[in-house]
């Protein structure tokens, strides 16, 4: 059961081979057994989970179950969930029980899934290693001495260790794809605007997107079916007709044009990752795809532009955390200004403070034109590079991360090295495009390698098709850390 696909779980539930209550119990037991070493969950509340499972069983018994009804999943602790502690990995929200559901949570509830708990993450989703969490680092199930990636590292570790069949994540600069790569999972960041951001605690609003993290492309497609859709409560949510993301999974790949940007295979890519990614591309050729050399000439500007735009938006978004209405308030303070200062000084960790300082600086009078506007211009150039590239290809492929998972503590003292972990993922967020990572082998010390697949706008079904066909031909996605 712990390795079953979502489709297999749904079939077992429909055939009454297993109940939702039994499934929830099984995964809660695994969490109790393995989570203390992994630290993948911030909150687990068995009673709540079991109550949801009983409801799902009743719904299935009435014949009203859907494709995900009764299936347990975990949610990144960035999603507000009614009655659940919702911390965003921060001391600032360490006492915040959400009074409402994010749209993503609401949709999964409507689908009848069972919430297993809230997963650990980098504080306010700022990080690539899950070491900035107030709740401590998450360990990679493949090797407890290395990081799971971030910021959705808790979700990645939880799925990888089979503590949950699937999980939600969010991706502002790579936070679904990079941890998926480092933990040997399939993860998808949708086109900006496809999944509602309502109730998802904001980091950089023009970049943030929620998406699924699971064991396979097919599972991601089923998850995305539940997550995607217009929401009037998010002003950037796109009004489009609903799609069935599983519809093209079975299409053959003959004639698929795969673009290989030369910038993805240049200096900085470690040899073990390059080897696995090249082998995956060879497999795509065997499956009938043709490869085309393309170029994204402004790719090298994506990390610098991101580290102006994302902190700028974060400094604005995080100004709401002032200790007044909710969240951490300093126990002792003088006047109101002192209360703000002390509450924020105590409530935020070092990385969050660094981003607020950078963001406030680049938005300040006299620097706005030099940094923020300039970064926005670069953002436009990067988006244009992709438009050009997609004239010659249907999908773009390359590595997700320049290296396999690194040791805990390795990059924690060097922000710039940490920021470069997202060198291949960030441009996709700046352009608002959809991207995925799928397991494609193992690199140094047997650590997983991810292949990144980038689609054109609304190309989710096409990416999922390419990922699924590869997963029919290979078994990398079935490998799990032995337990
Ligand atoms: N690692 C990047 C950052 O720290 C991206 C994080 C994310 O996608 N949430 O900002």
């Amino acid at each position: 059961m712990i390795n079953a696909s979502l489709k297999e779980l749904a079939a077992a539930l429909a055939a009454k081979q297993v109940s939702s209550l039994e499934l929830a119990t099984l995964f809660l037991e695994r969490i109790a057994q393995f989570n203390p070493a992994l630290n993948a969950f911030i909150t687990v509340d068995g009673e709540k989970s079991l109550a949801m499972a009983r409801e799902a069983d009743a719904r299935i018994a009435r014949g009203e179950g859907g494709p995900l009804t009764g299936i347990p999943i975990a949610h990144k602790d960035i999603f507000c969930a009614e009655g659940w502690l919702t911390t965003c990995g921060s001391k600032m929200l360490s006492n915040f029980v959400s009074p409402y559901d994010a749209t993503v949570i609401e949709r999964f509830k409507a689908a009848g899934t069972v919430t297993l708990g809230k997963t650990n993450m980098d504080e306010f989703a700022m990080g690539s290693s899950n070491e900035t969490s107030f709740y401590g680092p998450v360990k990679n199930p493949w090797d407890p001495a290395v990081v799971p990636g971030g910021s959705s590292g808790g979700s990645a570790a939880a799925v990888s260790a089979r503590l949950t069949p699937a999980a939600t994540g969010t991706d502002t600069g790579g936070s679904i794809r990079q941890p998926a790569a480092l933990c040997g999972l399939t993860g998808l960041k949708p086109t900006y605007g496809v999944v509602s951001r309502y109730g998802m605690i904001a980091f950089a609003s023009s970049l943030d997107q929620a998406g699924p993290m699971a064991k396979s492309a097919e599972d991601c497609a089923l998850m995305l079916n539940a997550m995607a859709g217009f929401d009037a409560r998010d002003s950037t949510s796109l009004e489009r007709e609903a799609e069935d993301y599983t519809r093209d999974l079975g299409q053959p790949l003959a004639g698929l044009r795969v673009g290989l940007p030369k910038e993805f295979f240049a200096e900085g890519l470690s040899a073990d990752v390059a080897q696995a990614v090249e082998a995956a591309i060879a497999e795509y050729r065997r499956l009938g795809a043709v490869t085309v050399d393309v170029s994204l000439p402004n790719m090298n500007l994506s990390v610098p532009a991101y580290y102006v735009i994302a902190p700028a938006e974060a400094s604005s978004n995080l100004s709401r955390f002032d200790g007044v209405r909710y969240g951490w308030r300093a126990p002792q303070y003088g006047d109101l200004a002192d209360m703000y200062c002390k509450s924020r000084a105590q409530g935020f960790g070092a990385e969050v403070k660094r981003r607020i300082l950078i963001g406030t600086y680049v938005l300040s009078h006299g620097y706005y034109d030099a940094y923020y506007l300039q970064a926005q211009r670069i953002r436009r150039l990067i988006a244009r590079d992709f438009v050009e590239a997609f004239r010659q290809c249907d999908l773009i492929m390359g590595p997700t991360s320049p290296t396999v998972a690194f040791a805990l503590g390795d990059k924690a003292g060097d922000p710039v090295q940490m920021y470069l972990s997202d060198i291949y993922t960030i441009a996709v967020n700046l352009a608002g495009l959809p991207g995925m990572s799928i397991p494609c082998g193992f690199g140094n010390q047997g650590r997983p390698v991810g292949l990144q697949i980038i689609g054109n706008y609304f190309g989710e079904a096409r990416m999922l098709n390419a990922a699924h066909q590869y997963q029919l031909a290979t078994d990398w996605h079935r490998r799990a850390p032995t337990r």
Side-chain angles (χ1 to χ4, degrees):
M1 271 310 165
I2 63 167
N3 290 310
S5 70
L6 299 187
K7 211 162 121 181
E8 287 163 351
L9 289 176
L13 284 160
K16 309 262 185 316
Q17 284 159 1
V18 71
S19 68
S20 177
L21 196 63
E22 286 164 342
L23 277 183
T25 305
L26 167 71
F27 285 103
L28 286 168
E29 278 170 11
R30 288 186 63 79
I31 293 170
Q33 189 179 353
F34 298 113
N35 191 57
L38 293 172
N39 199 25
F41 283 85
I42 292 174
T43 304
V44 180
D45 185 334
E47 256 171 60
K48 275 202 188 71
S49 307
L50 296 179
M52 290 175 91
R54 280 189 203 98
E55 245 176 76
D57 280 329
R59 187 168 153 184
I60 294 168
R62 291 195 304 272
E64 291 165 11
L68 295 180
T69 307
I71 295 179
I73 60 171
H75 294 294
K76 185 175 183 178
D77 207 20
I78 198 168
F79 294 101
C80 286
E82 191 183 343
W84 290 78
L85 183 67
T86 299
T87 72
C88 218
S90 182
K91 178 176 178 182
M92 184 54 91
L93 289 175
S94 54
N95 61 2
F96 176 63
V97 176
S98 176
Y100 74 107
D101 278 330
T103 299
V104 164
I105 300 285
E106 208 175 77
R107 285 177 160 271
F108 275 115
K109 271 191 185 171
T113 63
V114 172
T115 304
L116 282 176
K118 305 291 294 293
T119 58
N120 204 345
M121 55 180 284
D122 278 303
E123 185 177 8
F124 285 103
M126 298 173 187
S128 305
S129 66
N130 225 295
E131 291 167 295
T132 74
S133 171
F134 173 63
Y135 296 89
V138 177
K139 311 290 169 58
N140 190 320
W142 290 90
D143 177 350
V146 305
V147 304
S151 65
S152 312
S155 288
V159 178
S160 168
R162 308 298 189 246
L163 309 187
T164 178
T168 53
T170 64
D171 191 312
T172 304
S175 282
I176 288 175
R177 290 160 287 159
Q178 187 256 14
L182 272 44
C183 288
L185 300 178
T186 304
L188 187 149
K189 179 203 98 73
T191 306
Y192 183 79
V194 161
V195 175
S196 169
R197 290 182 297 107
Y198 179 77
M200 187 178 115
I201 297 168
F203 163 13
S205 311
S206 76
L207 300 159
D208 299 341
Q209 258 305 280
M213 304 179 79
K215 299 189 290 288
S216 69
E218 184 182 54
D219 285 1
C220 282
L222 288 167
M223 294 273 286
L224 191 57
N225 276 353
M227 296 174 84
F230 175 66
D231 179 7
R233 295 172 299 186
D234 170 1
S235 65
T236 59
S237 167
L238 295 167
E239 216 164 340
R240 308 178 66 245
E241 222 161 282
E243 285 187 47
D244 174 6
Y245 293 101
T246 65
R247 68 181 187 275
D248 290 335
L249 291 177
Q251 295 297 321
L253 298 186
L256 179 80
R257 295 171 306 162
V258 172
L260 305 175
K262 63 169 187 278
E263 295 79 7
F264 277 26
F265 298 90
E267 205 193 328
L269 178 62
S270 71
D272 57 332
V273 174
Q275 206 179 5
V277 167
E278 272 153 24
I281 288 162
E283 180 63 39
Y284 272 100
R285 288 198 194 95
R286 269 193 291 281
L287 291 168
V290 289
T291 53
V292 195
D293 291 327
V294 297
S295 175
L296 302 168
N298 294 290
M299 243 275 301
N300 62 332
L301 298 175
S302 63
V303 171
Y306 173 90
Y307 279 97
V308 171
I309 293 168
E313 294 185 21
S315 71
S316 168
N317 274 324
L318 270 57
S319 65
R320 76 192 61 175
F321 301 108
D322 56 7
V324 176
R325 282 151 299 188
Y326 56 90
W328 176 261
R329 180 185 296 177
Q332 277 163 9
Y333 52 86
D335 60 3
L336 180 66
D338 191 48
M339 194 268 277
Y340 291 153
C341 290
K342 290 213 167 83
S343 300
R344 286 168 69 82
Q346 295 167 13
F348 291 135
E351 184 60 28
V352 173
K353 285 177 186 156
R354 186 177 296 127
R355 308 274 179 120
I356 293 173
L357 288 173
I358 298 171
T360 308
Y361 178 79
V362 300
L363 290 177
S364 58
H365 182 72
Y367 295 109
Y368 183 89
D369 289 9
Y371 295 109
Y372 186 70
L373 277 188
Q374 196 67 3
Q376 293 290 14
R377 288 194 189 100
I378 292 169
R379 183 175 190 173
R380 169 59 60 88
L381 292 178
I382 288 168
R384 215 156 58 190
D385 285 353
F386 278 110
V387 170
E388 279 306 314
F390 279 120
R391 282 190 217 287
Q392 301 164 63
C393 61
D394 306 306
L395 294 171
I396 289 174
M397 291 188 192
T400 303
S401 160
T403 64
V404 293
F406 43 91
L408 277 146
D410 230 22
K411 299 187 183 179
D414 187 344
V416 173
Q417 276 313 307
M418 189 69 89
Y419 297 170
L420 289 172
S421 306
D422 296 314
I423 182 135
Y424 302 125
T425 50
I426 276 181
V428 174
N429 300 75
L430 289 169
L433 290 164
M436 288 185 77
S437 182
I438 62 173
C440 71
F442 294 89
N444 293 344
Q445 286 152 295
R447 296 176 194 163
V449 176
L451 173 77
Q452 187 175 202
I453 307 176
I454 302 168
N456 210 338
Y457 297 104
F458 310 113
E460 284 83 359
R462 190 153 219 182
M463 293 192 311
L464 286 161
N465 161 229
H468 181 66
Q469 290 300 310
Y470 178 82
Q471 292 181 339
L472 288 177
T474 60
D475 75 345
W476 303 117
H477 65 293
R478 293 188 199 283
R479 311 285 183 91
T482 42
R483 287 254 163 210

